[in-house]
Amino acid sequence: MAVVAAAQTANSDWTWAETTALIVPFVALFGAFLTYALNQRAVRKERRATTFAEEDDPPVLHLRDEPRLGL
């Protein structure tokens, strides 16, 4: 309850809604930046892997690429 008391000291008209309205956009912007940065990193890694891949190698068939049999 100390946090609530600290927020209400000196009879301020500042409310929790105003605090939330300030914090939420910063969290959203941080999340958007983090998503963008991780996506760019993944694109660079994929591009690098494609660049250095051997051209004569046949494509690798992963288990998830195999056709599924209806059992």
Side-chain angles (χ1 to χ4, degrees):
M1 293 313 250
V3 174
V4 174
Q8 294 175 348
T9 56
N11 284 334
S12 68
D13 291 330
W14 195 258
T15 64
W16 285 105
E18 291 169 325
T19 303
T20 302
L22 287 176
I23 292 173
V24 167
F26 286 109
V27 171
L29 286 173
F30 177 75
F33 173 75
L34 182 63
T35 301
Y36 176 79
L38 290 174
N39 187 36
Q40 291 299 318
R41 185 175 132 195
V43 167
R44 279 194 304 270
K45 286 178 88 172
E46 185 176 344
R47 203 175 286 148
R48 190 175 330 137
T50 305
T51 302
F52 293 111
E54 294 292 330
E55 302 225 359
D56 296 333
D57 289 343
V60 177
L61 181 65
H62 296 284
L63 291 177
R64 66 174 180 259
D65 295 334
E66 293 179 1
R68 297 186 183 259
L69 299 174
L71 298 177

